[in-house]
């Protein structure tokens, strides 16, 4: 019926405005160990509870967000622009 | 160069040709002129001054509209010539880049005392004046169609939509307004 | 006056009679009646037949939980089956029909099922009809479906409109009874944004059925005064006839408003129902409590009714439930009914109180039998007598109506919708809402608060407290003293009534009786979830509103447990049924999805194009001409014309992305697998985008318009996905790069002009020199048109393999420019062509699309191995593209395929087998990804992904379509069927 995702730029919006990508994982370096790349591309933990995910506000500000979502309750504890770190500063 | 040259009548066809203004006591819908829509691409985190952005506009109220972090639309009813556009885009570089969206985005004005109720049939954004003050702009879904919405008056919004969806959105808005055209 | 209508009283408008029909017979009610009250007033006690046993049923409740009085209302496309008569407002001309009966309500053949009942008990599906199996489909199921079931849906399209909308508020109040009204008034006066919803047409809840006086006014007058004040507050939205049916993530509540379900002919401009999604900062649940039936024999006979419902019919609707009324109660609430009956001159025949030690606040004249139960009721289509059992002594009492007061279950459904479990309270003898609610609080009877004064007070206080959390100051509203308030202590539950002989129903709607539950326990299905499915208790459209708690109590007693240990089944939305119309809203039929129209749409339409849906786009498929009888004729002509002369194709729907910034080149170098750093200004380059797993994601061209400004084209299908992907790369992977992105797909009308005459035609409108030297293959520049009257972008790229250009002009000028080009090209033989011809042209050239780029292919598979840079330090897909599985020489590779006999053909999707291999999937070597008839080759041609295909050109194979059992001997070949040296591109 409805499910709201808080966008740090636009406020709470229904999930239909967003595209979910999955776990917010750091991309390994190009020359990283093949095992690290296998993990990044294929393996997911599927934890019960809080999970950091990448969501894109596709029909809104078009920013990628890191959304901290509880996989059992869908409760969203935090959401921030993915280009900013947890302190709100831009990534280098 | 070919010696066969054509100097024809090239004519503009508006996206909402044939959509007449819809007016009732409580709702008015009108397609705005396909003037200019400049998409300003700044760098997130390095905001441009409002004065500088307004300097690029034709000076009408609410001509500059936020469009996500570091991006703005500058709109107006008058079409800009190719060289005017080139000059404007040159003027904001290197801090920002300009992209001409004058043909790609179509503006519809929706106004009247029932306008919030009408738009609430499409968007989940909170449209109340306290949350969505005059001049505020946001991008949201109206039904199934993405649109950029700006409040331009207590009872007036401008809705900007991709040209390809303009007719569908107009039809949707007309349907959403239907109950306000009863009398 | 009808036999059951009282001469005075009630909130009905006796000056406004309304004529209705029930099963075709005319009846009269009044404005303010429900269909149920009108039926009762007319003495229509028998209103339906039960689901399984076809037992006669009457009206049981006065509200949303009604399991019996289900009607079909309306005609044709407006037919609404299973409408609860208790919730249906009366209107002139209402046509109601009873259900589950044949041939008539009074004489129903299905009632024979009652005689078969030993075979129709719990689990009968699994037992009786198990054997012989073939009879299940042919005999048993059709029989059961005909005999059982509720109303029948209409197969005529619904003519009415529905809509959805959003609302936002500080405080949502659900339920406009005493607690809800007090809360709304408190919050409204404080200036908060308030939404008050109530499922009934009139606000007030139980206050409309009350005889108490509030602040010196009658309860209904107090309601009217409060509503008038709320109505005048601009910050308060009142939604009546609106059921809040679910609580969802983000504190969003779903509600359905029945805008025009109480009129005969809905106004066309307004919806009949409106689905609300209410975003509430805080919400207060003031939904009251449901009275529980008592489970004795014959408790479903017409005339047996909930005690609270009887009060409503008496006080609100001015209808007597009968003339000889008995009351069976387990608590003090039954005595309020006794007092009301006496006030109307209907002294109860008896009050049967299950408590030995009852000490009710009752001063009336009725006979009170304490420590007693009603063990059975008798009657056929109407109640005639009851058996009162006290100390083992049975007494028969003649009655025509019996009230049941089995205690109250708080209506906590919404509070449990987000996963919280109800908690059993021994003290309250009820399941209470979960304790750790966030954003939602409860007030009034739903929180087991008893009495009007206490509910008013709690509603006001809870609202003030919730507002305080939002830093809004509020003073709890007060309503003055309440006289005649009835505060009954919680009932001691009476689950198992002793001495029962007849069928004692638990779930009235699904015909589940006590014996069924006993059987479930006996057969090992006593767990609450198993018992539910074994007996179907609680699985009807009423979702067990009256039956679930009784079933749990009975299961608990049968298993020797507490209801706390039995637990409940899961509460899920919807609280009451919601129509598909409301859920779909306006998005059906023509409005199912939006249409995306190319700026050249009308131009193509004028030229007679046949359109095809591609995602949301409408693309011109082909342009049939007079005399052409098949689409193939048109397509062949368009293809040949492009190769011989020139064609114009609308490619506006290709994705276009502007890429700007100092680091745009570096960015492109990382998102494409091939090199982009050195692309000169004014040139286009074909680019291949991989996924991180090394497979191809999308392809397209990117052109450098100026030093720091590129424009990328994507396939139509992946336009949105590529934009999201690029934004991910720019924002998440490499936020340090200076790159800015904008979609410009809709800005441009873009047309491909292809064929040997393309240059000649374009030069007629393009000011710049288009000679091969000045504007060579892969040139890409902004150009001036018509002597500077217009500017566009011109790209010399080719999908057809011919000399070709793509010209982009501002969308509004697209039609005009296309027309000019057609006019200029007419002497050169230009014709429009559509996506069908486009497809043939590209297959003839071995160009791939997403038929080939299917998520399992690598660049090397398609012969693009050289486009994967070995030297770039990083790009998307680099790390995994060299995995052994991706460089296995046995991989399927792109290859062309031809039938050996040009008169034969094959289909896309067919498998490739070695020439003499048996036709089994074990021998599968690949499949045909694209195929078309090539007028140039003179036969069907195909592209295929075949193991080691690149080195097998010339090899004979079998093309096998296993589904259609087609075998076509064929030959693998170069996927480029035409101009293998690509010389035409450079002329």
């Amino acid at each position: 019926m409805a499910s709201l995702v808080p966008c740090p730029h636009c406020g709470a919006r229904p999930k239909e405005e967003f595209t979910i990508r999955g776990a917010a994982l750091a991309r390994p370096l190009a020359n990283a160990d093949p095992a690290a790349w296998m993990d990044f591309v294929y393996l997911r933990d599927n934890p019960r509870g809080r999970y950091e995910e990448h969501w894109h506000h596709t029909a809104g500000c078009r920013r990628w967000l890191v959304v901290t979502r509880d996989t059992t309750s869908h409760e969203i504890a935090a959401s921030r622009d993915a280009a900013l770190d947890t302190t709100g500063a831009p990534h280098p | 160069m070919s010696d066969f040259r054509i100097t024809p009548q090239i004519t503009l066809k508006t996206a909402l040709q044939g959509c007449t203004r819809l007016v009732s006591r409580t709702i008015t819908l009108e397609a705005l002129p396909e003037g200019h829509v400049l998409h300003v691409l700044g760098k997130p985190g390095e905001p441009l001054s409002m004065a500088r952005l307004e300097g690029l506009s034709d000076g009408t109220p609410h001509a500059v509209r936020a469009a996500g972090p570091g991006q703005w639309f500058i709109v107006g009813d008058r079409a800009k010539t190719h060289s005017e556009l080139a000059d404007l885009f040159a003027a904001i570089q290197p801090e920002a880049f300009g992209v001409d969206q004058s043909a790609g985005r179509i503006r519809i004005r929706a106004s009247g005392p029932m306008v919030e109720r009408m738009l609430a049939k499409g968007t989940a954004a909170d449209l109340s004046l306290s949350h969505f003050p005059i001049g505020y702009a946001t991008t949201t879904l109206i039904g199934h169609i993405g649109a950029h919405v700006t409040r331009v008056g207590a009872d007036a919004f401008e809705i900007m939509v991709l040209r390809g969806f303009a007719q569908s959105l107009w039809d949707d808005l007309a349907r959403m307004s239907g109950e306000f055209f009863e009398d | 006056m009808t036999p059951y209508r009282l001469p005075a009283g009630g909130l009905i408008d006796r000056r406004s009679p309304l004529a209705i029909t029930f099963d075709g017979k005319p009846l009269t009610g009044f404005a303010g009646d429900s269909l149920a009250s009108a039926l009762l007033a007319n003495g229509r006690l028998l209103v339906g037949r039960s689901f399984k046993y076809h037992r006669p049923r009457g009206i049981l409740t006065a509200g949303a939980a009604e399991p019996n009085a289900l009607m079909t209302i309306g005609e044709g496309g407006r037919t609404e089956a299973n409408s609860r008569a208790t919730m249906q407002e009366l209107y002139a001309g209402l046509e109601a029909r009873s259900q589950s009966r044949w041939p008539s309500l009074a004489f129903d053949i299905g009632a024979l099922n009652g005689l078969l009942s030993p075979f129709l008990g719990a689990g009968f599906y699994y037992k009786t009809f198990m054997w012989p199996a073939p009879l299940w489909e042919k005999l048993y199921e059709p029989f059961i479906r005909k005999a059982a079931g509720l109303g029948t849906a209409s197969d005529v399209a619904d003519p009415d409109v529905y809509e959805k909308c959003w609302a936002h508020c500080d405080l949502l109040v659900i339920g406009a009874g005493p607690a809800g009204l007090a809360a709304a008034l408190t919050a409204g006066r404080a200036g908060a944004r308030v939404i008050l919803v109530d499922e009934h047409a009139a606000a007030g809840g139980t206050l409309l059925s009350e005889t108490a006086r509030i602040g010196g006014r009658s309860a209904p007058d107090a309601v009217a005064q409060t509503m008038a004040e709320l109505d005048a507050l601009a910050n308060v939205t009142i939604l009546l006839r609106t059921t809040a049916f679910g609580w969802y993530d983000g504190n969003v509540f779903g509600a359905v408003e029945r805008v025009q379900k109480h009129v005969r002919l809905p106004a066309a401009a307004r919806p009949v129902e409106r689905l609300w999604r209410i975003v509430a900062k805080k919400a207060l649940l003031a939904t009251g409590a449901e009275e529980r039936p008592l489970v004795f024999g014959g408790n479903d006979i017409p005339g047996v009714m909930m005690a609270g419902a009887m009060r409503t019919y008496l006080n609100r609707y001015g209808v007597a439930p009968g003339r000889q009324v008995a009351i069976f109660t387990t608590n003090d609430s039954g005595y309020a009914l006794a007092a009301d009956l006496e006030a109307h001159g209907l002294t109860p025949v008896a009050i049967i109180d299950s408590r030995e030690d009852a000490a009710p606040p009752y001063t009336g004249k009725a006979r009170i039998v304490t420590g007693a139960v009603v063990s059975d009721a008798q009657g056929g289509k109407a109640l005639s007598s009851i058996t009162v059992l006290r100390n083992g002594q049975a007494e028969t009492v003649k009655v025509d109506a019996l009230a049941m007061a089995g205690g109250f279950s708080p209506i906590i459904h919404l509070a449990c919708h987000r996963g919280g479990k109800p908690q059993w309270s021994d003290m309250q003898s009820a399941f209470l809402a979960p304790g750790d609610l966030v954003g939602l609080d409860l007030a009034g009877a739903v929180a087991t608060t008893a009495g009007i004064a206490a509910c008013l007070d709690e509603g006001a206080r809870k609202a003030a407290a919730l507002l305080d959390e939002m830093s809004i100051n509020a003073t709890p509203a007060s309503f003055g003293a309440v006289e005649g308030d009835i505060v009954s202590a919680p009932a001691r539950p009476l689950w198992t009534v002793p001495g029962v002989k007849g069928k004692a129903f638990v779930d009235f709607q699904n015909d589940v009786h006590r014996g069924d539950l006993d059987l479930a326990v006996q057969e090992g299905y006593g767990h609450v979830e198993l018992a539910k499915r074994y007996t179907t208790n609680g699985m009807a459209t009423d979702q067990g509103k009256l039956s679930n708690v009784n079933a749990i109590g009975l299961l608990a007693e049968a298993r020797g447990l507490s209801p706390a240990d039995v637990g409940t089944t899961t509460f899920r939305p919807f609280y009451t049924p919601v129509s598909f119309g409301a859920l779909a809203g306006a998005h059906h039929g023509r409005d199912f999805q939006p249409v995306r129209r190319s700026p050249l749409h009308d131009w193509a339409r004028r030229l007679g194009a046949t359109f095809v849906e591609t995602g949301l786009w409408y693309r011109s498929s082909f342009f049939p001409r007079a005399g052409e009888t098949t689409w193939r004729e048109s397509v062949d002509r368009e293809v040949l014309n492009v190769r011989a002369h020139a064609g114009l194709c609308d490619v506006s729907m290709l994705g276009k992305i502007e890429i700007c910034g100092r680091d745009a080149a570096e960015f492109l170098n990382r998102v494409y697998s091939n090199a982009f750093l050195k692309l000169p200004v004014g040139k286009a380059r074909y680019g291949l985008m991989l996924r991180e797993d090394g497979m191809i994601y999308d392809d397209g061209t990117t052109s450098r318009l100026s030093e720091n400004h590129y424009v990328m084209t994507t396939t139509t299908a992946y336009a949105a996905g590529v934009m999201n992907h690029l934004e991910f790369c720019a924002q998440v992977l490499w936020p340090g790069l200076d790159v800015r992105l904008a979609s410009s797909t809709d800005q441009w009308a873009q047309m491909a002009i292809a064929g040997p005459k393309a240059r000649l035609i374009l030069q007629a409108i393009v000011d710049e020199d288009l000679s091969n030297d000045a504007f060579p293959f892969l040139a890409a520049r902004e150009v001036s048109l018509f002597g500077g009257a217009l500017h566009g972008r011109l790209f010399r790229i080719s999908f057809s393999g011919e000399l070709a250009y793509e010209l982009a002009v501002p969308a509004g000028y697209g039609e005009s420019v296309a027309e000019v080009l057609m006019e200029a090209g007419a002497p050169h033989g230009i014709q429009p062509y559509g996506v069908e011809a486009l497809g043939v042209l590209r297959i003839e050239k071995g160009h791939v699309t997403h038929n080939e780029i299917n998520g399992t292919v690598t660049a090397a598979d398609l012969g693009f191995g050289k486009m994967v840079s070995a030297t770039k330090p990083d790009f998307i897909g680099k790390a995994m593209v060299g995995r052994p599985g991706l460089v296995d020489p046995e991989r399927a590779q792109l290859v062309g395929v031809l039938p050996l006999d040009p008169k034969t053909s094959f289909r896309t999707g067919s498998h490739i087998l070695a020439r003499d291999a048996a036709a089994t999937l074990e021998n599968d070597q690949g499949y045909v990804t694209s195929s078309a008839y090539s007028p140039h080759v003179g036969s069907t041609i195909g592209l295929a992904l075949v193991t080691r295909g690149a080195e097998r050109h010339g090899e004979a194979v079998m093309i096998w379509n296993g589904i259609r059992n087609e075998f076509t001997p064929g030959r693998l070949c170069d996927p480029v069927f035409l101009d293998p040296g690509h010389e035409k591109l450079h002329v």
Side-chain angles (χ1 to χ4, degrees), chain C residues 177-258:
Chain C
L181 283 176
L185 192 61
T186 300
R189 284 175 179 170
R193 292 168 79 191
V194 180
I195 297 177
L196 172 65
V197 305
D198 193 280
E199 62 185 346
H200 290 281
T206 52
L207 291 178
L208 300 180
S209 310
E210 277 296 343
T211 49
R213 295 181 70 77
I214 301 170
R217 304 155 295 181
S218 76
D221 283 349
V223 171
Q225 225 167 341
T226 306
M227 288 304 288
E229 183 176 346
L230 288 172
D231 227 4
L233 291 170
N235 52 315
V236 177
T237 304
I238 300 163
L239 297 175
L240 298 177
R241 303 185 176 100
T242 304
T243 305
F245 56 71
W247 183 32
Y248 299 93
D249 298 325
N251 229 32
V252 180
F253 290 80
V256 63
E257 180 185 3
R258 291 168 292 278

Side-chain angles (χ1 to χ4, degrees), chain C residues 271 499 739 821 899 908:
Chain C
V739 57
L821 282 171
T908 302

Side-chain angles (χ1 to χ4, degrees), chain A:
Chain A
M1 183 55 48
S3 198
L4 299 179
V5 178
C7 170
H9 306 298
C10 308
R13 294 294 176 84
K15 66 177 184 309
E16 288 75 12
E17 290 194 358
F18 295 82
T19 308
I20 183 170
R21 182 184 163 100
L25 304 174
R27 183 174 185 262
L29 294 174
N31 57 359
D33 189 75
W37 275 98
M38 281 300 282
D39 268 12
F40 173 68
V41 173
Y42 292 111
L43 300 180
R44 295 293 178 270
D45 290 338
N46 192 22
R48 185 184 175 84
R50 284 193 179 183
Y51 200 38
E52 286 204 335
E53 294 169 327
H54 278 134
W55 288 65
H56 183 235
H57 196 184
T58 312
C61 60
R62 299 205 61 91
R63 296 297 297 179
W64 279 94
L65 313 176
V66 176
V67 173
T68 309
R69 189 176 69 93
D70 191 302
T71 56
T72 58
S73 66
H74 191 62
E75 183 212 340
I76 293 173
S79 84
R80 60 181 162 87
D81 191 300
L84 307 176
D85 65 20
T86 44
T87 68
H91 282 297

Side-chain angles (χ1 to χ4, degrees), chain C residues 661-679:
Chain C
R662 283 189 307 277
D663 299 320
E666 172 63 23
F667 178 76
L668 287 165
N669 211 41
R670 295 188 195 180
V671 297
Y672 279 130
S673 68
N674 49 324
F676 262 84
L677 277 182
K678 289 178 185 155
L679 178 67

Side-chain angles (χ1 to χ4, degrees), chain C residues 82-123:
Chain C
N82 309 334
S83 298
R84 292 154 295 168
T86 49
M87 296 300 287
Q88 177 63 52
E89 285 172 66
L90 213 63
Y91 56 80
L94 185 149
E95 295 175 2
R97 296 184 298 287
S98 58
Q99 303 178 160
S100 292
R101 46 42 175 195
W102 185 82
S104 76
L105 185 56
F107 177 74
D108 176 63
I109 286 175
L112 291 173
N113 284 0
L115 303 177
L116 295 175
S117 65
F119 307 104
L120 296 177

